Amino acid sequence: MHHGLGQTGCVTDYTPPLADIDFVLGQCGLEDVASLPDFAHVDVAAVPDLIGEAGRFFAKTIAPLNVIGDQVGSVHNPDNTVTTPPGFAAAYQQYVDAGWGAVAASPEYDGGGFPFLVGVAFEELMSTANLSFSMCPLLSQGASRLLEAHGSDAIKATYMPKMITGEWTGTMCLTEPEAGSDLGVIRTKAEPQADGTYRLTGTKIFITFGEHDFADQIVHLVLARTPDAPAGTKGISCFVVPKYLVNADGSLGARNDATCLSIEHKMGIKASPTCVMSFGENGEGAVGELVGELNGGLAAMFTMMNHARIGVAVEGLALAERSYQQAREYATERLQGRASTTPRGERAAIIEHPDVRRMLLTMESSIEAMRRLIYVTAAAIDLGEHHPDTEVRERNEEIAALFTPLAKAWSTDTGFEVTSIGVQIHGGMGFIEETGAAQHLRDARIAMIYEGTNGIQAMDLIGRKLGVRGGAVVMEHFDRIEADIAAISDRGLSATQNALTLALAATRDATLWMGSVTSVDDALAGATPYLRLLSMLTAGHLMVQSATLAAGTDRETSQKRTTRFFCEQLLPTATALVPAITAGAAALAPSN
Amino acid sequence: MHHGLGQTGCVTDYTPPLADIDFVLGQCGLEDVASLPDFAHVDVAAVPDLIGEAGRFFAKTIAPLNVIGDQVGSVHNPDNTVTTPPGFAAAYQQYVDAGWGAVAASPEYDGGGFPFLVGVAFEELMSTANLSFSMCPLLSQGASRLLEAHGSDAIKATYMPKMITGEWTGTMCLTEPEAGSDLGVIRTKAEPQADGTYRLTGTKIFITFGEHDFADQIVHLVLARTPDAPAGTKGISCFVVPKYLVNADGSLGARNDATCLSIEHKMGIKASPTCVMSFGENGEGAVGELVGELNGGLAAMFTMMNHARIGVAVEGLALAERSYQQAREYATERLQGRASTTPRGERAAIIEHPDVRRMLLTMESSIEAMRRLIYVTAAAIDLGEHHPDTEVRERNEEIAALFTPLAKAWSTDTGFEVTSIGVQIHGGMGFIEETGAAQHLRDARIAMIYEGTNGIQAMDLIGRKLGVRGGAVVMEHFDRIEADIAAISDRGLSATQNALTLALAATRDATLWMGSVTSVDDALAGATPYLRLLSMLTAGHLMVQSATLAAGTDRETSQKRTTRFFCEQLLPTATALVPAITAGAAALAPSN
């Protein structure tokens, strides 16, 4: 299967981890989700086949382009067009032709209407095969989801059908040079016109696939401020600004004044063009239409935020998985030194060395833990949006809100750490770009930053999530973990039980401390280590749940192995974060 | 001072951290080292000035080339020459002309004859200013040190004077495609000739500055095997193979058959050409002379190993320092969001956010801890080599041997982690290459791999260092730590005292476990987390020592702040590694 560089390094193909994905979909209650009235059209029995088919398509079509995407990168041309790397545009056309764009979309627009939980599995497969490629369809889906939720009927009729299929792509234009984490200071202006449209003027940065050669039309969703808008976040509106105006018959009309001035030279995801977009470069302003309420732009964006953040969490998981597959193959093939079991005069594959096994198992167990945390959050989002019972819906909304910053920040931190281990397993070859291991590390680094830096996620957790319903949401979460720990009957998991018990007690203490402090800075000073502790406790709990479910099946041994390693060897370092969490802000104050 | 990119990112100059370096040199007993008879010629009072002058020279001359070195990189030409980035060769000439090459060299060859401890400070300044550049002089110094220790008088007379000044550079040619961590399987052949020379044939990879345009002559030290050599590590000899043969009058003669076939395309340190070197490409074999004993090549290399590994440890420290300086400046300038102290309507510099302060203090305290661990190891190397009292010499040799894998592996792991925090502080700009933060991360990644991967360091620690003198070396180390913990009288350090006490108890337990296991694989399975624990305990002890020394001085507040943060907030996560250290090899065995 591999078209490798042989003994001194190899670039492997991608093998979709379908068995673990199917198992986790079961653990996360796909049956329950798919049985909701809103998903009556979904044949849950067909999901594994669909996932398998998607995995094969991505492995065959876009995974082989991952390396050339990094080597060539997207290029900005003097005429302000962007050329993506060789093969990318053709692969995108295949993606559209095969109908993959519509899987997660609403059946109202001929989409598959699958739950987000299934969409996440689909995202994992696509992102692992080729992260840079996947960013175009995923951003487009986010944009069309926002239009569906907030757009007028006319706007939806104009844009959605072709965005669903992927014939047109979409962007999210939020960030400006002075407005990154803090969108309240956005300066892009939108002037109302007599015909009800707006004229937009301003510069947006970090616009993923803001310009490209995948499709003719690009539908920009742009945050901007109308002349009389209140200051700050309450004065921001969302506008749809197409690259080409759309004629009444749906055909493309005049070129709109939305220009890609340049693309960034980045550490990774080089095939994904990160654009500086200028609206109104030629003086009149770019033509846009209001989406949703005036001054309700940020609120509209925020309704998409859980989905988008889970999408980035998936990126951490995806690159960890890709890195792991490559490192595992290398460790099996590369001969170096002698292990305790090596016959005299022979050499051992490096996987025989205990230290390499530690690295591989750290990767494998972390990947499983990430997948469980992300998928269970996606299931909570589905139940929170679609369950007919208000009580169940609200409880799941709360869980989704609590788990989303954990999934985003911890999975991207861990994804980066795992890709670094992948480099290390390759030794000197890991530092050589042709090996391909370094690309995963470089690509993974961005996920800790965008869609809200991981520091912002930690502030969100402390400031907005822990206090929900007087702290009852997180306490109920702890009670469920406690009950599941108590229910562990497998004596082979007694050390795991102990480690989880200690982690839970530490997290309860840290959470009570967070609830008790009077200074917000004291709480925020411990936000990042607290997020790590709560994430690893939650993931450890899910790993135990997996081990329990796997008991008596052919996964029992392998699942118990990763569960034990994660809970007994990795989790204690998170438990030890309590002193850092509760040290307060004074300990961090500059001394000069 | 900065020629920055302004509000949206900046590339800063380098400010040598002279105050902390001077303080640490004092803490490590520079006075005691310099008072040894072998260093009678050294004026210890002049050392701070020398260090300061070196820092200014490197900050002015090579620090500004760091970015262009990364952007342009070294280039391999069709005629097998290598062109280094613009400005590098001229800067190297300045370095040679100013006499910096000779600072650490033996006075016998007109070198400064400074202790290694001073040489390490010098290395830190040079590596922080421009790591890629520094690799050429540092490799050359290693090569000349090996020649001085093992070469015949004739070889020394031929090569050393010009290598000391830097007019000629040197390389270490060890690795082959099949022989990386395991040098026993080296295949390069050396055929003895009638005139006493040898003809070498073979390919070496990963040869730093194996070809370049800094100097005409390049002196390769090559490990190879003579025809009748025994198999394995006991059949490897060291040869000096100059790029140009040297005439009797010292002038350069015929071109030797040593060819750079290509250079690697790497993730970082792009200005440093990493060469594939072919010896004997044209059929006759490259002319070489034996250095030291026949079949004693690996032993000769190993006598240089502590120095070389400390050199790489310094690289972790250096890139962390450079990354920290840049991140701190950015955090002071970049405005984003509001902090608790921000007046309404204004924005805060991101350094006002507690989470950013946590990142900066993690960087700062880790850097101080690395610097102390590395410098104290260098002092032990000096005392172990030069103290007139055999007992003192042996005790220090033992400490140097024990601390070297800690300094190498932990400082490079931590250096990489710190540069990643540096990227994170820059937010989205950190991922953009023009900002310069990503280069430090990319450059730092190699140090975990070369000069013995960090996994190899951990195996060395467990297999060769812990058992020295029946385990008494490490136990005496623990006793010294225990005494210093007990002597802490500052009530402001009581939490630090507690954290160190717990870490020491954990490390004692883990060490006793290591001594008790009957399976070497069980010990090796815990080698990497054990190394981290012992490193952080040792570094934490040195941080407390710094705080004690700083009491009553103007450093008291700042030193106590970093000491407390390191010991109270970072160290506990290492203490929590005991379950991972003592889990044994069975927990890591593959399940299929």
Side-chain angles (χ1 to χ4, degrees):
Chain A
M1 276 290 280
H2 74 98
H3 43 88
L5 306 175
Q7 262 288 307
T8 54
C10 57
V11 175
T12 58
D13 289 320
Y14 166 49
T15 306
L18 299 177
D20 197 52
I21 288 176
D22 285 346
F23 178 82
V24 176
L25 288 174
Q27 178 176 342
C28 296
L30 175 62
E31 295 247 8
D32 293 343
V33 171
S35 67
L36 298 176
D38 285 355
F39 299 120
H41 55 278
V42 171
D43 175 9
V44 70
V47 167
D49 282 349
L50 174 83
I51 299 282
E53 200 185 331
R56 281 184 293 277
F57 175 81
F58 294 131
K60 184 180 163 197
T61 313
I62 62 169
L65 300 176
N66 195 47
V67 168
I68 198 170
D70 185 61
Q71 288 170 342
V72 176
S74 279
V75 176
H76 181 261
N77 304 307
D79 63 354
N80 290 328
T81 60
V82 168
T83 305
T84 57
F88 273 62
Y92 184 77
Q93 194 58 50
Q94 284 186 266
Y95 168 88
V96 171
D97 292 347
W100 289 115
V103 167
S106 165
E108 200 180 328
Y109 297 94
D110 291 332
F114 284 93
F116 183 55
L117 177 57
V118 175
V120 159
F122 188 83
E123 281 183 31
E124 179 190 332
L125 297 167
M126 180 158 56
S127 297
T128 315
N130 191 325
L131 177 60
S132 285
F133 177 95
S134 75
M135 293 177 76
C136 184
L138 293 178
L139 265 290
S140 297
Q141 282 168 26
S144 67
R145 209 177 275 130
L146 191 147
L147 286 180
E148 183 174 2
H150 300 281
S152 66
D153 288 345
I155 286 177
K156 286 196 271 193
T158 302
Y159 294 105
M160 290 222 29
K162 292 201 169 177
M163 289 182 75
I164 294 292
T165 60
E167 288 166 276
W168 294 357
T169 73
T171 76
M172 305 290 243
C173 301
L174 283 65
T175 305
E176 299 179 4
E178 296 297 308
S181 301
D182 179 8
L183 291 170
V185 295
I186 276 176
R187 291 180 188 174
T188 296
K189 284 181 194 161
E191 289 275 352
Q193 306 294 306
D195 64 355
T197 65
Y198 291 78
R199 289 284 187 160
L200 278 80
T201 311
T203 301
K204 295 287 181 178
I205 62 171
F206 298 160
I207 308 307
T208 299
F209 277 93
E211 181 60 49
H212 58 74
D213 52 12
F214 282 10
D216 293 330
Q217 175 73 308
I218 303 174
V219 181
H220 304 288
L221 298 186
V222 185
L223 292 188
R225 201 180 281 288
T226 53
D228 303 325
T233 54
K234 290 174 181 167
I236 294 170
S237 305
C238 178
F239 300 88
V240 57
V241 182
K243 178 176 174 183
Y244 291 97
L245 301 181
V246 183
N247 298 322
D249 65 356
S251 64
L252 297 187
R255 180 72 159 85
N256 203 357
D257 194 359
T259 310
C260 171
L261 296 182
S262 62
I263 67 174
E264 305 293 350
H265 174 220
K266 304 188 301 295
M267 180 183 173
I269 53 166
K270 295 187 182 189
S272 167
T274 301
C275 302
V276 175
M277 295 297 301
S278 174
F279 296 95
E281 181 77 3
N282 302 317
E284 301 282 301
V287 177
E289 288 180 274
L290 182 68
V291 177
E293 301 289 320
L294 191 68
N295 299 330
L298 218 52
M301 285 289 171
F302 278 6
T303 62
M304 303 296 112
M305 205 161 58
N306 281 353
H307 288 82
R309 291 185 168 177
I310 294 303
V312 175
V314 167
E315 297 179 5
L317 164 63
L319 291 168
E321 171 73 35
R322 191 75 187 266
S323 172
Y324 171 61
Q325 290 193 12
Q326 183 168 352
R328 189 182 52 192
E329 181 169 338
Y330 184 81
T332 309
E333 294 184 350
R334 170 71 173 171
L335 305 176
Q336 195 76 179
R338 298 180 64 248
S340 63
T341 54
T342 317
R344 191 153 275 287
E346 294 185 18
R347 291 192 297 163
I350 62 170
I351 199 172
E352 299 297 323
H353 297 292
D355 191 62
V356 174
R357 290 186 172 182
R358 168 174 295 283
M359 290 194 273
L360 286 168
L361 190 47
T362 302
M363 299 175 88
E364 184 184 2
S365 63
S366 298
I367 287 165
E368 287 190 3
M370 282 187 261
R371 187 174 286 126
R372 282 146 184 77
L373 177 58
I374 293 168
Y375 282 50
V376 86
T377 308
I381 290 174
D382 279 324
L383 293 168
E385 290 179 349
H386 298 285
H387 202 284
D389 183 322
T390 309
E391 172 75 13
V392 177
R393 210 163 54 235
E394 285 178 358
R395 293 296 81 75
N396 277 284
E397 276 174 8
E398 290 167 353
I399 288 292
L402 179 68
F403 284 11
T404 295
L406 309 183
K408 194 282 177 182
W410 182 71
S411 298
T412 58
D413 281 348
T414 305
F416 180 71
E417 290 163 17
V418 167
T419 58
S420 183
I421 299 173
V423 168
Q424 191 70 15
I425 287 174
H426 285 80
M429 292 307 299
F431 200 66
I432 306 298
E433 287 291 0
E434 283 77 0
T435 306
Q439 181 189 347
H440 308 315
L441 183 156
R442 291 187 288 96
D443 286 353
R445 190 63 188 78
I446 187 57
M448 298 157 72
I449 296 172
Y450 59 21
E451 206 56 47
T453 65
N454 288 357
I456 296 281
Q457 304 298 324
M459 290 171 71
D460 174 59
L461 173 64
I462 298 295
R464 297 202 192 93
K465 305 297 171 64
L466 280 191
V468 173
R469 201 153 39 84
V473 177
V474 71
M475 290 301 163
E476 288 166 9
H477 176 49
F478 294 153
D479 291 345
R480 283 188 295 271
I481 295 175
E482 186 167 325
D484 284 353
I485 296 174
I488 295 173
S489 58
D490 183 342
R491 296 297 295 271
L493 291 177
S494 60
T496 287
Q497 191 174 30
N498 289 341
L500 267 176
T501 301
L502 292 173
L504 176 61
T507 316
R508 280 194 191 275
D509 286 350
T511 308
L512 291 174
W513 183 89
M514 283 288 173
S516 73
V517 292
T518 49
S519 151
V520 64
D521 277 359
D522 283 338
L524 292 177
T528 288
Y530 179 83
L531 182 147
R532 188 172 183 92
L533 172 56
L534 182 57
S535 299
M536 289 186 69
L537 169 68
T538 304
H541 171 235
L542 294 171
M543 291 293 277
V544 166
Q545 200 177 70
S546 289
T548 304
L549 284 170
T553 74
D554 59 2
R555 291 179 65 91
E556 176 167 353
T557 307
S558 62
Q559 187 63 61
K560 202 190 283 190
R561 172 177 165 268
T562 49
T563 296
R564 288 194 57 184
F565 184 81
F566 187 85
C567 293
E568 297 170 25
Q569 301 204 34
L570 302 183
L571 181 58
T573 64
T575 306
L577 290 170
V578 173
I581 295 167
T582 58
L588 309 179
S591 64
N592 45 18
Chain B
M1 276 290 280
H2 73 97
H3 43 89
L5 304 175
Q7 261 289 308
T8 54
C10 59
V11 175
T12 59
D13 290 320
Y14 166 49
T15 305
L18 300 176
D20 198 52
I21 289 176
D22 285 347
F23 179 82
V24 176
L25 288 174
Q27 178 175 345
C28 295
L30 175 61
E31 295 247 10
D32 294 343
V33 171
S35 68
L36 298 175
D38 285 357
F39 298 120
H41 55 281
V42 171
D43 174 9
V44 68
V47 167
D49 282 349
L50 176 84
I51 300 282
E53 200 186 331
R56 283 184 292 278
F57 175 81
F58 293 132
K60 183 181 163 197
T61 313
I62 61 171
L65 299 175
N66 195 47
V67 168
I68 197 169
D70 185 63
Q71 287 170 343
V72 176
S74 277
V75 176
H76 181 260
N77 305 307
D79 63 354
N80 290 328
T81 59
V82 167
T83 305
T84 58
F88 273 61
Y92 185 76
Q93 195 58 51
Q94 284 186 263
Y95 167 88
V96 171
D97 292 347
W100 290 115
V103 167
S106 164
E108 201 179 328
Y109 297 95
D110 292 331
F114 284 94
F116 183 54
L117 177 57
V118 176
V120 158
F122 188 83
E123 281 184 31
E124 180 191 331
L125 297 168
M126 181 157 57
S127 297
T128 314
N130 191 326
L131 178 60
S132 286
F133 177 95
S134 75
M135 295 177 75
C136 184
L138 294 178
L139 263 291
S140 298
Q141 283 168 24
S144 67
R145 209 177 274 129
L146 192 146
L147 286 180
E148 183 175 2
H150 301 281
S152 65
D153 289 345
I155 286 177
K156 286 196 270 192
T158 302
Y159 294 105
M160 290 216 37
K162 292 202 169 176
M163 289 182 74
I164 295 290
T165 60
E167 288 165 276
W168 294 357
T169 75
T171 76
M172 304 289 245
C173 301
L174 283 64
T175 305
E176 299 179 4
E178 296 298 307
S181 301
D182 180 8
L183 291 169
V185 295
I186 276 176
R187 290 178 187 173
T188 295
K189 281 181 195 160
E191 290 275 352
Q193 307 294 305
D195 64 356
T197 65
Y198 292 78
R199 289 284 187 161
L200 278 81
T201 312
T203 302
K204 295 286 180 179
I205 62 171
F206 298 158
I207 309 308
T208 299
F209 277 92
E211 180 61 48
H212 58 75
D213 52 13
F214 282 10
D216 293 330
Q217 174 72 308
I218 303 174
V219 182
H220 303 289
L221 298 186
V222 185
L223 292 187
R225 201 180 281 287
T226 53
D228 303 326
T233 54
K234 291 173 182 166
I236 294 170
S237 304
C238 178
F239 300 88
V240 58
V241 183
K243 178 175 173 183
Y244 291 96
L245 301 181
V246 183
N247 298 323
D249 65 356
S251 63
L252 297 186
R255 181 71 158 86
N256 203 357
D257 194 0
T259 310
C260 172
L261 297 180
S262 62
I263 67 173
E264 305 293 351
H265 174 220
K266 306 189 299 297
M267 181 184 173
I269 52 166
K270 295 186 181 188
S272 167
T274 301
C275 302
V276 175
M277 294 299 300
S278 174
F279 296 95
E281 180 78 2
N282 302 318
E284 301 283 301
V287 176
E289 288 181 273
L290 183 67
V291 177
E293 300 288 319
L294 192 68
N295 299 328
L298 218 53
M301 286 287 172
F302 278 7
T303 60
M304 304 295 110
M305 204 161 59
N306 282 352
H307 288 82
R309 291 185 169 175
I310 294 302
V312 175
V314 167
E315 297 179 5
L317 163 63
L319 291 167
E321 172 73 35
R322 191 75 188 263
S323 171
Y324 170 61
Q325 290 193 13
Q326 183 168 352
R328 190 183 50 192
E329 181 169 337
Y330 184 81
T332 308
E333 294 185 350
R334 170 72 172 172
L335 304 176
Q336 195 78 180
R338 298 179 64 250
S340 63
T341 54
T342 316
R344 191 154 277 285
E346 293 184 21
R347 291 192 299 163
I350 62 171
I351 198 173
E352 299 297 322
H353 296 292
D355 192 63
V356 174
R357 291 185 171 185
R358 168 173 295 283
M359 291 194 272
L360 286 169
L361 189 47
T362 302
M363 301 174 88
E364 184 184 3
S365 64
S366 298
I367 288 165
E368 287 190 4
M370 282 187 260
R371 186 174 288 126
R372 280 145 184 78
L373 178 59
I374 293 167
Y375 282 50
V376 86
T377 308
I381 291 175
D382 279 323
L383 294 168
E385 290 178 351
H386 298 285
H387 201 283
D389 182 324
T390 310
E391 172 75 15
V392 177
R393 212 165 52 236
E394 286 178 358
R395 293 296 82 78
N396 278 284
E397 276 173 9
E398 290 167 352
I399 288 293
L402 179 68
F403 284 11
T404 295
L406 310 183
K408 195 280 177 181
W410 182 69
S411 299
T412 58
D413 281 348
T414 305
F416 179 71
E417 291 162 18
V418 167
T419 58
S420 182
I421 299 173
V423 169
Q424 191 70 18
I425 287 175
H426 285 80
M429 291 308 299
F431 200 66
I432 307 298
E433 287 290 1
E434 282 78 0
T435 307
Q439 182 189 348
H440 308 315
L441 183 155
R442 291 186 289 94
D443 286 354
R445 190 62 189 78
I446 187 57
M448 298 157 73
I449 296 172
Y450 60 21
E451 206 55 49
T453 65
N454 288 357
I456 297 280
Q457 303 299 324
M459 291 172 71
D460 173 59
L461 173 65
I462 298 295
R464 297 202 192 93
K465 305 298 172 63
L466 280 191
V468 173
R469 202 151 42 83
V473 178
V474 71
M475 289 302 164
E476 288 165 10
H477 175 49
F478 295 153
D479 291 345
R480 283 188 295 272
I481 295 174
E482 186 167 323
D484 284 353
I485 295 174
I488 294 173
S489 59
D490 182 343
R491 297 297 297 269
L493 292 176
S494 61
T496 288
Q497 192 175 29
N498 289 340
L500 267 175
T501 301
L502 292 172
L504 176 61
T507 316
R508 281 193 190 274
D509 286 350
T511 308
L512 292 174
W513 183 88
M514 283 287 173
S516 73
V517 293
T518 50
S519 152
V520 63
D521 277 358
D522 283 337
L524 292 177
T528 287
Y530 179 83
L531 182 145
R532 188 173 183 91
L533 172 57
L534 182 56
S535 300
M536 289 186 70
L537 170 67
T538 305
H541 171 233
L542 294 170
M543 290 293 277
V544 165
Q545 202 176 69
S546 289
T548 304
L549 284 170
T553 74
D554 59 1
R555 290 178 65 90
E556 176 167 352
T557 306
S558 62
Q559 187 63 62
K560 202 189 281 189
R561 170 175 167 269
T562 48
T563 295
R564 287 194 57 184
F565 185 80
F566 187 84
C567 293
E568 297 171 23
Q569 301 206 32
L570 303 182
L571 181 58
T573 64
T575 306
L577 290 170
V578 173
I581 295 167
T582 58
L588 309 178
S591 65
N592 45 18

